[in-house]
Amino acid sequence: MKAARRPRPWCALVGAGPGDPELLTLKALRVMRRATLLLVDDLVSDAVLERALRGRRAPPRVVHVGKRGGCRSTPQAFIERLMVSQALAGERVVRLKGGDPLVFGRGGEEAQALQRHGIEVEIVNGITAGLAAATDLGVPWTHRDHAQGAIVVTAHAREGGRGPDWPTLAAAAAQGLTLVIYMGMSRLAAIQTGLLVGLAPHTPAALVEHAGLPHSRSRLTTLGSLLADAQDLGSPGIVIVGPVLQAAAARAGRGRARAA
Ligand code: SAH
């Protein structure tokens, strides 16, 4: 008699979006329902997690692999080892990540680690924070009157690596590209100084904290006032720079004029 073949080890990297459960995809919900083990990122909201677990007769084991997991931050190598060992042990592992799993989320590295061990990887897109931030501001990344495209960039440098070359990005923005900057809230001084090399101080800029969530806060400002206007805003946050913000700035100006 032939022994029953074990199913191929499987792991899914699922985008949880910016935090509002209504922004989860149907596919994310379906795939999360297959999980026996949920590895949850710091940036995943409680509301999303609640939605993922709702109505499950046999709920999956939930492990928070972020600051809420007990450590300041679970080292990436540990998370990858955990994903690999649990998937190889037959668990149906779902890694739930904030936003989109492949946008600055180390999803690419995790997928490679899994594939090296012959584990089938399923990736489910989520709405990335930079898009949610633009929507909170009521502006698009692109608008044919203002911007032909957008540059999505992290302000964070790898250990030992160099951060982005802000003057080069300023030159690109001056040519009509919107800058959508992740991980920038603690590096606003460097962003401001670097971008002012190639952009005028009156260039519109905006900050959005907790984009896509009910407690989201945003501020429309200019590049010249970016740092001064961000004092009470923190992480997680997105910085957007470029003329696409003009329409939002004009709307805010009209609102202020009406209120005066
Ligand atoms: N994969 C995520 C990004 C992870 S990198 C995505 O696609 O959205 C972490 C950075 O994302 C944070 O430093 C912050 O810049 C941004 N971020 C994540 N969630 C956010 C939110 N709700 N509001 C604003 N910025 C957010």
Side-chain angles (χ1 to χ4, degrees), residues 8-254:
R8 184 169 169 208
W10 171 91
C11 177
L13 307 180
V14 174
D20 177 351
E22 291 199 328
L23 291 179
L24 281 168
T25 64
L26 294 175
K27 191 168 182 180
L29 283 173
R30 177 174 61 73
V31 169
M32 285 190 295
R33 297 194 74 76
R34 297 176 65 194
T36 56
L37 174 63
L38 258 185
L39 301 180
V40 183
D41 223 30
D42 244 0
L43 286 169
V44 173
S45 73
D46 293 339
V48 163
L49 191 56
E50 189 276 325
R51 189 69 189 71
L53 300 175
R54 193 185 294 172
R56 292 270 318 244
R57 255 182 284 140
R61 200 149 51 93
V62 177
V63 179
H64 290 276
V65 286
K67 291 178 195 115
R68 284 188 277 175
C71 328
R72 226 178 68 68
S73 183
T74 315
Q76 184 64 20
F78 172 80
I79 298 174
E80 285 175 16
R81 277 202 303 276
L82 186 65
M83 292 166 77
V84 166
S85 63
Q86 295 299 301
L88 291 176
E91 295 282 358
R92 302 189 72 76
V93 182
V94 170
R95 173 92 166 95
L96 192 54
K97 298 171 81 76
D100 185 274
L102 299 185
V103 177
F104 305 130
R106 303 243 191 146
E109 292 163 47
E110 291 174 3
Q112 282 171 338
L114 292 156
Q115 281 155 352
R116 272 199 301 275
H117 288 83
I119 297 164
E120 182 189 342
V121 180
E122 186 164 350
I123 295 177
V124 181
N125 289 126
I127 293 178
T128 189
L131 272 178
T135 302
D136 281 352
L137 292 163
V139 297
W141 280 5
T142 62
H143 183 300
R144 60 186 185 152
D145 291 344
H146 300 298
Q148 292 77 49
I151 295 181
V152 176
V153 61
T154 171
H156 184 74
R158 286 185 81 130
E159 299 97 85
R162 281 198 308 140
D165 183 11
W166 296 113
T168 302
L169 290 172
Q175 293 303 309
L177 295 173
T178 305
L179 300 181
V180 183
I181 306 168
Y182 289 63
M183 290 176 257
M185 297 305 278
S186 58
R187 299 173 181 85
L188 291 174
I191 295 172
Q192 184 182 40
T193 311
L195 290 180
L196 281 172
V197 172
L199 289 169
H202 62 260
T203 306
L207 302 130
V208 186
E209 180 197 81
H210 293 298
L213 284 158
H215 54 287
S216 162
R217 294 195 302 160
S218 57
R219 181 124 335 131
L220 271 166
T221 178
T222 59
L223 194 53
S225 304
L226 185 68
L227 188 58
D229 277 353
Q231 296 304 334
D232 60 327
L233 296 178
S235 290
I238 293 283
V239 183
I240 298 183
V241 179
V244 278
L245 295 165
Q246 265 163 21
R251 272 200 308 274
R254 276 199 301 277

